[in-house]
Structures are given as structure tokens and as C-alpha cells.
Amino acid sequence: MSRLIVVSNRVAPIRAGKVAAGGLAVGVYDALRQSGGIWFGWSGDVGASPQVQSETVGNITYVTLGLTKRDYDQYYRGFSNATLWPIFHYRIDLARYNREEYDGYRRVNAMLAEKLKPLLKPDDIIWIHDYHLIPFAEACRQLGIRNRIGFFLHIPFPPPEILTVIPPHNELLKTLCYYDLIGFQTETDRLAFQDYVTREVRGVIEADGSLTAYGQNFRAGVYPIGVVPDEIAQLAEGYKGRTHPMRRASDRRRQTIIAVDRLDYSKGLVERFRAYESFLDNYPEHRNNVEFLQIAPTSRSDVRTYQHIREQLESQAGHLNGRLSDLDWTPLHYLNKSYDRRVLMGLFRQADIGFVTPLRDGMNLVAKEYVAAQNPDDPGVLVLSRFAGAARELTSALIVNPYDCIGMAEALDRALRMPLAERRDRHAHMMRAIRAADLDAWRDNFLRDLRSFVSRPKGRAQAAAS
Ligand code: GDG
């Protein structure tokens, strides 16, 4: 089998040959172990010279490099996280555009391609991950790299009306078309991309389903990322640690709601806190009987919009608890810390509700993890935003609109009262979906399509180029 070369913005840290847990890291690590290969990307160091470092563990070589402060500011903090992230999550209001940052983004992609080139063998398959690396394939082609190159977008793809807010959208999308295969989380994302290609640049859908635009012929497919349900069940069942601290506060068993998100405005935390407060106001019988645990490790804390949302949440949490807490009851536990994966899965299993309400999310692995962690005989209920990619598969969740505060409060009340038989039915249905599209399926389907893709003759593609 040809070697696999994975390129992601951050290379998952290696601890004694084990990568950190999490969808991308686990899925990619297994694929690399099967075929052998290289995992290439940023080490996370800033200020260091972009010296390439490599470490081989088994048949996987981890190749990392640092970024200069300027590269970090322009490529990572700037264009990736202050332009692409908000726009791709439909948040024009939070986006900024700076031409120098865009130039830095292109420059770092070109630099990374140059550093990768000497490591490649002719039959290697290259798999690129996420929005930081859209122009990577084009940079490779300019260096004469002929290998098959695929791209998976972990975040949503916005409709053309939103995408075109990015001033160099046309140039950016042109670079994306240099991939042989482009993977999306949902059909909605794939259609938005196809819409851009066909309407904005008069690209063509070929008879075989491939697309031709900007002189390139390529495929776009849907590969929803999944989890490893048995591994999650094992972790959750095996967790013998303390139960929720709030259960100790009273002899009575309080019902619990859990949410776990990186502290990001796309995750809908402000709206979720508001909905929880309105739930306690509108259904006072639940007061003192329910507690909400929100775990939200800080992320990208040097980007201004992230500082702002953090302040907003601190103020909301303080207000809610100040107004409603009692001597023996704290309604909201808001923790800006990260926890060991085993602890998280254990907490998921103990919680009566998984409250997953992003305003927009590529997939949302937490939703799938919460379901997979449940005890099938007495499962909790997933309350899920219709705007998470996961809502396409987990149709037996209580689907909510995160902009509808009262609707979310109603769903919490319904979930807490739901009879056991209904909880079991919904859970069994969701588990079937989770097993049908697990992490192995995501990786295997993408790599199968990338390996089998045969590009159409260039002459035909050139003719259709606009
Ligand atoms: C992007 C897309 C897409 C969270 N806190 C802790 C912790 N986590 C783990 C969760 C889960 C992962 O991090 C988060 O994944 P999500 O999918 O929920 O969200 P993003 O980080 O935004 O990921 C998203 C994903 O890529 C994959 O394609 O689904 O839409 O935005 O696994 O459990 N893990 C530990 N401690 C924590 O405190 N150990």
C-alpha cells in the first residue's frame, strides 16, 4: 500500500508513541499506522525558526516545524482564525479582512509545501486537513509535486453570498480546486461549495459527478466524521471517579445537564446560558432539582473576539448563579478547564441531558460522544442544535434551534420528563447511526475515494475553465 502523508495545522503531540485523544488525531493515527507514513505540520512553537524536526515512532514519522511570530500572527491568528473561521461559521459580523494577513497565509502554505517536498515519494498519498491549508495543493503543484492530494474540511462551508464577503474569495477557491478530492461533513456543505463553483465561476458538473473549474477536474464528496463507539463506552463504563460534585451536595439525586465545548462563539454558549436561565424561570419546579455543568476550556485566547465572549459568559454565569443559587444549590457550574478524556466520558454517562447547541458546527463530536457514552438500559437525552452537522445523522435527538430561547427551555423540560421507553428508543436509533458512520468509515471512505480518483483528461478540463 502506498504511504500516507497527513498534513494538518497542528500535529497531534506524541506521548510515548500515543497521540492525544480526539476525532482527527485518533482517525488519522490509525490510518497512518496501517499504511505507514508521515504526519507533517506546525509544532505549536512560536518564535522559533522554521527548522524541521522529525521523530519516528514505529512506522510513523512526525515532522514538525515552528512558526515565526509574523507567520503566527498573519497565517494562524489572522487570516485563519479572524477571517476564515468566522466567515465559514456564517459570522460576517465577527470577521475582519487584512490583505497582509492573507499574503501571510499564502506564504506559510507555500513554505510548508516546500518543506514537505523533499520528504515525498512518488506514490505517496497526501491528505490535508482543514481551513488553514486551503492553498496547500496549489502550492504543491507549483513545486512540481504530482502526488494524489485530498482535502477534508472539518468546519462548515458557507453559502456563496457569505463566502464572497472575503475579498480574495475567487483566488482562494481557485486554489481549493487543485485538490483531487475535497471532503465535507454534510451534504449542505458540499452543495454550498458546488453552488459557488457552478454559479460564481461557471464550473461544470461532469457526467461522472466530478467537477471542472479553473482548468481543474476534481471530486467533492460527503464524509461525516465519526467516533469510536466501543472505545467511548469502555472509557465511560470504566470511569470509577467521583460522580458530579453536585450530586454530593444533597441526599436527593439531582438531575444533571452537561455541555462540553472549546470556548468559541460558534458553540452557542451565550444562547445556551440564556435558555437555561429561562428554563429555570419558566419551570420553577425544576429549581433545586437540576444542575448544569458547562466545561469550556479556553481556546485561541489571543484573538480579541474570544476574549470578548469569555467576559460575556463570566458575567452571565455570575448573574444567573447570583440570582438563583441557594445555600445548598448552585444551578450552573461553569468551568474553564480541560479534563482527561476518561473523566469526560464518565461525566457524559452520568448526565441526564447532553446539551449541545452550537450556532453552527461542522459536525460536533461531543454530540456523538455523549450518545456513545450512555448506558443503553437507562440512557440520557441529547438536546441538539439543528445547525450542528451531527443533526443530519442524530435525528432522534431533541432537535432545537439555538436562537429560540423558549424552545430550548421547553426541550430541557421535555428531556428531563422523558419516559424510559422513549429514551431507550431514541438512544438505540442514534447508536445505529453512530455505528454506521464511525471513525473508521470516515477515514476508509475518504482514502478509498482519493486512491481511486482518476482525473479527466486536462484538455477537456481546460475547455470548461472560465
Ligand atoms: C472541529 C469542528 C468537527 C473538548 N473539551 C475537552 C476535550 N474535548 C474534545 C471533545 C471532542 C473534541 O474535543 C471537540 O470536537 P468538536 O467536534 O466538538 O469541536 P471542534 O473542536 O470545534 O472541532 C467540528 C471537528 O473538528 C472534527 O471534524 O466536529 O465541527 O469545529 O472530541 O471530547 N477533550 C478532553 N478534555 C476536554 O476538556 N480530553
Side-chain angles (χ1 to χ4, degrees):
M1 198 196 289
S2 52
R3 288 193 314 174
L4 177 64
I5 313 297
V6 172
V7 184
S8 58
N9 170 57
R10 277 297 298 274
V11 172
I14 326 150
R15 276 188 239 108
K18 284 186 75 182
V19 294
L24 185 147
V26 174
V28 160
Y29 178 67
D30 280 354
L32 279 166
R33 253 197 329 199
Q34 279 168 22
S35 56
I38 295 173
W39 194 336
F40 178 87
W42 176 35
S43 61
D45 293 335
V46 178
S49 65
Q51 199 71 34
V52 176
Q53 296 198 321
S54 99
E55 182 184 347
T56 301
V57 185
N59 59 351
I60 306 175
T61 302
Y62 299 84
V63 182
T64 56
L65 67 172
L67 290 177
T68 63
K69 178 75 170 63
R70 176 168 169 253
D71 286 349
Y72 172 78
D73 283 343
Q74 296 183 340
Y75 150 82
Y76 180 75
R77 218 159 63 90
F79 193 70
S80 292
N81 284 322
T83 306
L84 290 179
W85 178 273
I87 295 280
F88 277 47
H89 286 87
Y90 298 46
R91 292 301 297 269
I92 297 174
D93 57 322
L94 297 180
R96 68 152 191 257
Y97 174 70
N98 174 310
R99 190 177 288 191
E100 284 175 1
E101 290 176 347
Y102 176 64
D103 292 344
Y105 175 81
R106 297 294 305 266
R107 184 181 68 243
V108 169
N109 269 269
M111 181 271 287
L112 292 172
E114 238 172 76
K115 301 279 185 193
L116 180 67
K117 187 179 176 190
L119 309 174
L120 294 174
K121 294 180 184 170
D123 66 341
D124 287 343
I125 292 273
I126 308 176
W127 190 8
I128 312 297
H129 290 266
D130 233 359
Y131 61 102
H132 316 84
L133 299 170
I134 291 172
F136 194 85
E138 191 222 19
C140 287
R141 299 297 182 223
Q142 284 185 354
L143 294 169
I145 296 170
R146 293 274 154 263
N147 301 59
R148 204 156 283 191
I149 314 181
F151 177 82
F152 184 76
L153 183 68
H154 289 259
I155 64 176
F157 192 91
E161 286 71 16
I162 293 179
L163 184 67
T164 49
V165 166
I166 302 174
H169 61 90
N170 200 298
E171 187 181 285
L172 185 70
L173 265 284
K174 182 176 177 188
T175 67
L176 183 56
C177 297
Y178 279 76
Y179 285 99
D180 296 308
L181 174 66
I182 305 165
F184 297 96
Q185 299 272 26
T186 67
E187 184 62 8
T188 308
D189 301 317
R190 193 194 65 80
L191 282 174
F193 170 70
Q194 187 173 293
D195 211 16
Y196 181 92
V197 164
T198 52
R199 287 201 295 137
E200 282 287 325
V201 296
R202 287 176 287 127
V204 174
I205 306 171
E206 307 288 356
D208 64 359
S210 67
L211 296 166
T212 298
Y214 302 106
Q216 307 297 322
N217 178 245
F218 51 94
R219 262 183 194 280
V222 176
Y223 308 90
I225 194 167
V227 294
V228 184
D230 293 336
E231 178 245 2
I232 291 172
Q234 215 179 351
L235 286 177
E237 266 176 71
Y239 176 66
K240 300 287 179 248
R242 45 195 254 168
T243 54
H244 288 181
M246 48 275 207
R247 290 196 186 181
R248 291 182 155 187
S250 157
D251 290 341
R252 200 178 41 229
R253 182 194 177 284
R254 284 193 174 120
Q255 288 185 293
T256 55
I257 301 170
I258 193 163
V260 175
D261 313 79
R262 274 186 312 99
L263 210 173
D264 192 294
Y265 49 82
S266 66
K267 302 293 182 182
L269 277 84
V270 168
E271 292 73 10
R272 192 182 302 157
F273 282 9
R274 210 174 279 149
Y276 180 59
E277 187 160 358
S278 133
F279 159 75
L280 293 174
D281 284 338
N282 293 343
Y283 302 91
E285 64 276 24
H286 289 294
R287 287 191 195 178
N288 215 6
N289 290 325
V290 67
E291 282 179 321
F292 175 22
L293 173 63
Q294 170 71 62
I295 294 175
T298 51
S299 106
R300 302 174 196 166
S301 47
D302 54 353
V303 178
R304 190 147 9 105
T305 41
Y306 288 77
Q307 292 154 6
H308 176 68
I309 182 133
R310 189 173 173 181
E311 286 162 14
Q312 198 176 350
L313 289 167
E314 280 163 6
S315 144
Q316 265 184 300
H319 173 80
L320 189 153
N321 278 335
R323 189 166 79 80
L324 295 168
S325 292
D326 217 324
L327 288 176
D328 65 344
W329 180 54
T330 307
L332 172 64
H333 296 250
Y334 173 49
L335 311 176
N336 288 142
K337 282 170 80 171
S338 64
Y339 287 85
D340 186 82
R341 186 166 170 81
R342 186 180 303 273
V343 176
L344 277 192
M345 299 307 130
L347 292 174
F348 283 162
R349 192 177 179 91
Q350 292 166 9
D352 300 277
I353 296 182
F355 199 15
V356 184
T357 56
L359 302 180
R360 194 66 59 176
D361 217 331
M363 176 53 63
N364 197 297
L365 290 174
V366 169
K368 293 184 172 181
E369 290 165 353
Y370 174 78
V371 174
Q374 295 308 298
N375 172 3
D377 295 330
D378 186 14
V381 179
L382 177 66
V383 175
L384 179 62
S385 162
R386 57 174 295 149
F387 302 122
R392 301 285 153 147
E393 296 159 80
L394 305 181
T395 50
S396 291
L398 289 187
I399 302 292
V400 294
N401 181 334
Y403 295 96
D404 178 7
C405 181
I406 301 293
M408 283 205 281
E410 282 168 359
L412 289 179
D413 175 60
R414 182 172 169 203
L416 289 173
R417 295 174 192 280
M418 191 178 284
L420 178 61
E422 183 179 350
R423 281 191 278 125
R424 278 190 185 156
D425 279 356
R426 286 176 180 271
H427 178 257
H429 189 258
M430 289 192 281
M431 280 309 291
R432 280 198 289 280
I434 285 175
R435 286 194 187 284
D438 66 3
L439 192 61
D440 290 350
W442 169 70
R443 175 192 69 221
D444 293 348
N445 292 341
F446 185 91
L447 290 176
R448 179 203 59 214
D449 289 356
L450 180 57
R451 288 199 159 98
S452 65
F453 177 66
V454 182
S455 173
R456 296 169 68 84
K458 281 288 177 221
R460 170 78 182 75
Q462 299 290 352
S466 67

